[in-house]
Every structure is written in C-alpha cells, then in structure tokens.
Amino acid sequence: MTTTKIALITGANKGIGKEIARQLGQLGMTVLVAARDAERGRAASAELTGDGIDARPVLLDVTDPDSVATAAKQVEQEHGRLDVLVNNAGIIDAGDQDGRAVADTFERTYATNVIGVMTVTRAMLPLLRKGAQARVVNLSSELGSVSLQSDPDGEFSGIRLYAYNSSKAALNMLTVMLAKELQPDGIAVNAVSPGYCATDMNDHEGYRTPAQGAADAVRVATADGPTGGFYGESGTLPW
Ligand SMILES: NC(=O)c1ccc[n+]([C@@H]2O[C@H](COP(=O)([O-])OP(=O)(O)OC[C@H]3O[C@@H](n4cnc5c(N)ncnc54)[C@H](OP(=O)(O)O)[C@@H]3O)[C@@H](O)[C@H]2O)c1
C-alpha cells in the first residue's frame, strides 16, 4: 500500500475548498477534488494538476446519498482508504436574509451544511478506519458559535442568518459527538472557522483570502493533536 496520504475535500471546485486541496496537495498528499458538477470539478482538478499537485476529480453532491455512495465506492476502488476528509461544501441560501428565513431556506441549508456532512462522513467512515490516524475537518463558522453570537459586542453578533448560523451550530455539536464516537478508532474530528474570506459565498466581501482560511483548516487536518475542538486563525474558538 502506498504511503502517500489521500485527502478528499467536498466543494473543492472553488473558494476555500480549492485552496485546501491545493495546500494539502503541496504537502504531498493525493487530493480528491470532490465537486457536485463534473465539469467544475474537472476544471479545478486540472488547474491543481497544472500546479504540480496530484489531484483527481470526484463527482459528489453532499445532498444526494447515491452520489455520496458512488464517490465512496470510487475512493475504495482507486485508493482503498482515506486519511483526511474535509467537509467543506456549504451554502448560504438566497432566502437567508436579515432574519427572514422560512422553511424551505432552512431545509436547503440544513440539507447541505448539516445532513450532507453526516451523509459524507458516515459513507467515508470505513475508508477513514483504514487510513493512517485519519482526520476529519468540518468547515464551521464563528457565526455558528452560540457564545460569540450571545456577545452583543461580538464582531458578527448582528448577522442574522437564521438558517446558516444555526446550521453551523448544529455542525459544531455533530463535531463533538463524532469526535467522541471515533476517538477509539484514532480518528480526530475537529471544526474550523476559516474567518471572513473573500469568496462567492459573500460576493467577495471577506477581508481574508481563501488561502488564508484554507491554511487554518490544513493546520488542523495535519496536526498530530487534539480531537473534538473548534479552531480559528488565533487558536481555540468558543462553542
Ligand atoms: N467565506 C467565508 O467567509 C466563510 C466563513 C466561515 C465559514 N465558511 C465555510 O467555508 C466553506 C467554504 O465556503 P466558501 O466561502 O469557499 O464558499 P463558496 O466559494 O461558495 O464554495 C462553496 C463550495 O461548496 C460547494 N457546494 C455547495 N453545495 C454543495 C453540494 N450540495 N454538494 C457538493 N458541493 C456543494 C460549491 O459548489 P458549486 O460551485 O457547485 O456551487 C462550492 O464548491 C463553507 O462550509 C462555508 O460555510 C466560509
């Protein structure tokens, strides 16, 4: 069996996910560039390959269990294991505006940001168990921190994305629960906030680059250390 680490990143065709794939690839890992659109996935993978990275496209829509199962089968057949899973794919629904989110906005947001993460993680678990000290990183947000949202002086406490913020709070809880479940298997599960990065998600208004946000996720994905934590640029974040 090859000793090159295998990493799969969901939503890796653009934004922070593509930069996570680039940086893990620069560390010598084989990166599986998972994307829900085949052409966008191939284009991102080709760009990374052009930069000297061992990148391979994988078709994967986190909201479609059949797509996730097919992707897991592909990884099993081609690599036999997975060492790093980055649950990066996420959305802010167009209806999630200033406290006006209604049911379908919650449903779409949770389908991707919460249920999608569980579907992918469960499907990849047999492969992660065959990995070397496997790591799962969930892309969360300071907007999902109940503590920071409760602070009236907090930087993001005025941002009322009801569906998105609560989806990331749910993701934080799932991170802790999965970390406990998988500790006996030696699999670390952590949440990372990349900070406010300029991507399509916020019409490029963020003040960090996607590469800076990606670096926080990569640090946790490659750490020897802890499990069940929430991390950002400056270290541990409050739940
Ligand atoms: N940007 C920030 O300031 C910020 C801050 C905190 C947390 N985050 C988190 O960081 C992660 C990446 O965000 P980003 O800013 O890079 O956003 P982005 O540029 O909008 O990229 C989101 C990625 O997720 C993919 N995606 C969406 N739904 C999917 C699905 N059902 N299946 C598979 N892939 C799907 C998108 O694919 P398509 O191209 O096909 O749409 C895209 O590749 C998200 O989880 C986000 O919540 C971002």
Side-chain angles (χ1 to χ4, degrees):
M1 188 165 70
T2 167
T3 53
T4 303
K5 288 201 171 184
I6 313 292
L8 184 142
I9 305 96
T10 65
N13 54 287
K14 67 177 184 180
I16 297 165
K18 188 168 78 175
E19 296 311 310
I20 293 171
R22 187 191 307 280
Q23 292 177 24
L24 290 174
Q26 285 167 343
L27 292 172
M29 295 190 194
T30 294
V31 289
L32 309 181
V33 177
R36 62 176 159 177
D37 178 272
E39 193 38 54
R40 287 197 287 270
R42 267 197 297 272
S45 186
E47 178 191 323
L48 296 175
T49 301
D51 291 343
I53 287 162
D54 183 12
R56 328 264 176 103
V58 173
L59 187 61
L60 192 164
D61 182 334
V62 304
T63 64
D64 177 353
D66 289 341
S67 157
V68 175
T70 301
K73 204 172 289 170
Q74 183 187 340
V75 178
E76 164 77 50
Q77 282 165 357
E78 293 177 7
H79 306 283
R81 68 176 209 284
L82 194 60
D83 303 297
V84 174
L85 169 64
V86 183
N87 288 306
N88 165 80
I91 61 163
I92 296 177
D93 188 72
D96 206 0
Q97 298 289 336
D98 198 26
R100 292 199 298 272
V102 292
D104 59 347
T105 281
F106 277 95
E107 282 166 8
R108 282 193 292 268
T109 305
Y110 280 53
T112 302
N113 296 5
V114 183
I115 301 165
V117 171
M118 286 308 292
T119 306
V120 172
T121 304
R122 288 267 178 248
M124 298 297 167
L125 253 187
L127 295 163
L128 289 163
R129 288 200 169 98
K130 292 182 194 161
Q133 288 186 308
R135 298 278 173 270
V136 178
V137 176
N138 295 329
L139 266 286
S140 184
S141 169
E142 278 145 277
L143 296 177
S145 164
V146 175
S147 306
L148 295 176
Q149 189 64 218
S150 305
D151 175 0
D153 301 323
E155 180 182 358
F156 304 114
S157 76
I159 298 180
R160 302 195 308 141
L161 301 171
Y162 274 72
Y164 181 80
N165 294 4
S166 60
S167 76
K168 294 298 187 181
L171 178 61
N172 285 354
M173 173 61 81
L174 293 170
T175 300
V176 171
M177 297 182 77
L178 283 167
K180 285 191 288 187
E181 177 186 327
L182 300 179
Q183 194 155 28
D185 297 317
I187 300 172
V189 186
N190 291 289
V192 169
S193 170
Y196 194 31
C197 300
T199 67
D200 287 350
M201 180 169 273
N202 50 40
D203 295 327
H204 296 259
E205 286 179 353
Y207 48 71
R208 303 189 83 206
T209 65
Q212 287 173 321
D216 297 329
V218 167
R219 198 167 47 246
V220 172
T222 54
D224 250 353
T227 189
F230 185 20
Y231 301 99
E233 183 191 11
S234 52
T236 302
L237 291 168
W239 293 113

